[in-house]
Amino acid sequence: MTFKELTFDDLNITPHELYEQMGYHDNIPDEATLSEIQRIVSDIKSFLKPRFCFFVTRFLLTESSLKTSESESVGLFKIGKIIARQLKGSEAFACFVCTAGMEFEDYQRQLMLAGDMVRVFIADALGSLIAEKCCDQMELSLQESVNKLGWKHTNRFSPGYCGWHVSEQQTLFSLFSDKRGKQSAEGYTNPCEVQLTDSSLMIPIKSVSGIIGLGKDVRHLDYTCGLCDFKQCYKRRRNPNKAKNN
């Protein structure tokens, strides 16, 4: 299993990306908000430890599921037809977990206790961006690891999106226990020190997990929002015109 710990600077977050995540789109926040953003970024640079891990394995892809073998009657993952179509042509699959880390989670909790809702809002937007940019770095590392095979990779897909039920997060995390996952006192498997609650919520909250298809004939596509009816998807929010047109 591949594991890597990053720094804030490794994520290459631009000011515009943060403004967009906060809802400003092409506008720039006022001076007071910009000052708060600078304070928060300065704070987290001293402790932030975003990290990712992934491993590559083989599954059999059907029209709506991933199976471990032909004899398996029910798929290991019931990913649905939307994701299955995007994974078409995959010769192997990467299971991954990325997170902003408990250090950031603790920082957010301190801001909540202080009751500074402006800083809470900024930190929440920044945390989502940190997790997403950590995923981008994971994809770069994954691609580098399969270049020698002449493989490419698909988009990343997570339980809870595009018809893949969030409860299958439990199955996904269980696969990491056979690799280099740790067991907490509560019995959860903790890849990258990310825990799962009984309701499949990840802790730290600013974390992402999922599956990526690998192979010579796979494609990395724009997120096709027109195929999915999940209105709260962050990709839909960041690409409103694309979602409308598709």
Side-chain angles (χ1 to χ4, degrees), residues 189-234:
T189 302
N190 299 337
C192 290
E193 300 181 25
V194 177
Q195 297 184 17
L196 270 187
T197 67
D198 290 339
S199 59
S200 300
L201 175 70
M202 286 183 286
I203 301 175
I205 293 174
K206 301 303 185 183
S207 301
V208 183
S209 66
I211 285 176
I212 296 174
L214 305 168
K216 293 180 180 179
D217 298 321
V218 301
R219 294 184 296 169
H220 192 282
L221 304 171
D222 286 339
Y223 283 86
T224 49
C225 299
L227 299 178
C228 178
D229 60 2
F230 186 67
K231 306 302 183 185
Q232 286 74 45
C233 177
Y234 73 96

Side-chain angles (χ1 to χ4, degrees), residues 1-112:
M1 185 167 71
T2 298
F3 170 87
K4 188 171 184 179
E5 186 175 278
L6 306 170
T7 67
F8 181 84
D9 290 336
D10 291 329
L11 302 177
N12 300 315
I13 295 174
T14 67
H16 176 73
E17 287 173 322
L18 179 55
Y19 305 157
E20 186 179 25
Q21 186 71 34
M22 292 171 63
Y24 285 93
H25 303 296
D26 293 327
N27 299 312
I28 298 177
D30 58 76
E31 289 297 327
T33 303
L34 288 174
S35 178
E36 291 293 349
I37 290 173
Q38 291 172 358
R39 286 176 56 193
I40 290 176
V41 170
S42 178
D43 284 347
I44 70 170
K45 276 188 174 183
S46 65
F47 64 77
L48 189 71
K49 295 180 180 179
R51 62 207 69 150
F52 65 76
C53 58
F54 66 82
F55 65 89
V56 175
T57 188
R58 301 276 183 175
F59 294 124
L60 293 176
L61 176 65
T62 74
E63 66 175 10
S64 63
S65 68
L66 291 173
K67 301 168 62 175
T68 56
S69 68
E70 288 285 2
S71 61
E72 186 178 21
S73 58
V74 179
L76 180 68
F77 294 114
K78 295 179 281 294
I79 55 177
K81 293 183 179 180
I82 293 173
I83 295 178
R85 284 196 296 267
Q86 303 301 310
L87 295 175
K88 186 177 180 180
S90 298
E91 300 174 54
F93 299 85
C95 299
F96 71 87
V97 173
C98 304
T99 181
M102 277 306 301
E103 299 84 1
F104 187 83
E105 180 103 340
D106 292 341
Y107 177 71
Q108 282 190 289
R109 188 177 298 114
Q110 292 170 13
L111 293 180
M112 287 290 294

